[in-house]
Amino acid sequence: MSFPHDTERTGRRWVRRCGRAFTAELLGTALLVWLGCAALLPLTGPVPLSCPALAFGCAVLANVSAFSEASGAHMNPALTLGAVLCRRLSLPMALVYVVAQLLGATLGYYGLLATSPALLTAGLGVTLPGVGVSPLSAMFIEVVITGVLMLTVCSVWAAESVQRDPTAPLKIALVVAGLNYAASPATGAALNPARSFAPAFMQGVWTHHWVYWAGPLLGAALAVLLYRAVLTSQGFEHAATQI
């Protein structure tokens, strides 16, 4: 039997956890987009692949280290979908995450535009299929690379059910950097609908934007299904991270 004050305390706890998670996802995604896309500025000529790859990787390393305790540091609607499928996150809280991620990405991108030379920011960070790459091919590439990222995160979540891995931020950061090296010429290596949404929204460029939602979301979902069905015998659920 529950009493009204018990329900009230539970409600307040949920609101506090929701606020912490929202703030962490907002700040983390803003920093990810700002710092990652800043490496794409052509300040001294063509931008080498190492610049965005290392920038996004280092941003992920910093943000996972800083914000994982508050929200898990998803910074990505595709990873949030994976968390729902792994039963680590409730659907209402997942919606809070996605709103925070899209808002944070937009704020981060706006901050980049506001502090960068206007002549260099036209089309900055907009993700589009590369020359000769069809939208379907680009979507398939995004499925594969986001699936690889999701498999890595699944392995981290599964390990957390036994013992927290202090090297997890570095593992995820290196995977993000490597995937950027591999796929940037073909698709821009979005891996993340929020990362693609902010430049598209602020620049008004929606060409083939569906690729960068369908690919990452499908890749994350397939990766979770593969991991749960074939690659692990232990669960993902961890009481400390369920919200």
Side-chain angles (χ1 to χ4, degrees):
M1 181 175 181
S2 62
F3 295 93
H5 63 275
D6 294 328
T7 304
E8 184 178 346
R9 281 199 297 267
T10 301
R12 285 200 297 266
R13 283 197 298 269
W14 191 89
V15 169
R16 284 196 296 270
R17 295 184 73 178
C18 180
R20 290 179 66 230
F22 183 90
T23 302
E25 289 298 306
L26 179 78
L27 293 176
T29 314
L31 290 171
L32 176 71
V33 171
W34 191 331
L35 298 176
C37 291
L40 298 170
L41 280 167
L43 294 174
T44 58
V47 178
L49 283 177
S50 59
C51 289
L54 291 176
F56 277 109
C58 289
V60 167
L61 175 60
N63 289 338
V64 173
S65 299
F67 300 118
S68 60
E69 186 68 25
S71 70
H74 296 180
M75 303 172 287
N76 185 338
L79 297 187
T80 298
L81 172 62
V84 172
L85 296 176
C86 291
R87 296 197 287 270
R88 291 174 57 92
L89 202 64
S90 67
L91 186 57
M93 185 60 78
L95 295 176
V96 172
Y97 272 52
V98 172
V99 170
Q101 290 157 1
L102 295 178
L103 180 58
T106 303
L107 291 175
Y109 188 76
Y110 177 79
L112 176 60
L113 294 183
T115 56
S116 301
L119 292 176
L120 301 179
T121 57
L124 178 67
V126 174
T127 48
L128 293 168
V131 176
V133 179
S134 70
L136 283 177
S137 295
M139 187 192 76
F140 179 75
I141 293 169
E142 288 290 321
V143 167
V144 172
I145 61 176
T146 310
V148 171
L149 175 61
M150 189 76 247
L151 287 173
T152 304
V153 173
C154 283
S155 70
V156 169
W157 288 344
E160 279 185 353
S161 65
V162 179
Q163 183 178 4
R164 185 175 292 275
D165 181 1
T167 67
L170 180 60
K171 291 175 180 177
I172 297 171
L174 289 174
V175 169
V176 169
L179 293 173
N180 268 271
Y181 269 112
S184 284
T187 70
L191 299 159
N192 184 341
R195 176 260 177 272
S196 290
F197 171 80
F201 176 72
M202 295 297 295
Q203 299 278 358
V205 179
W206 298 101
T207 305
H208 304 312
H209 184 67
W210 64 270
V211 166
Y212 299 97
W213 283 87
L217 293 175
L218 181 58
L222 291 175
V224 170
L225 294 176
L226 173 65
Y227 203 91
R228 290 182 69 95
V230 179
L231 301 180
T232 187
S233 59
Q234 57 185 349
F236 293 92
E237 297 82 357
H238 189 260
T241 57
Q242 287 180 330
I243 301 177

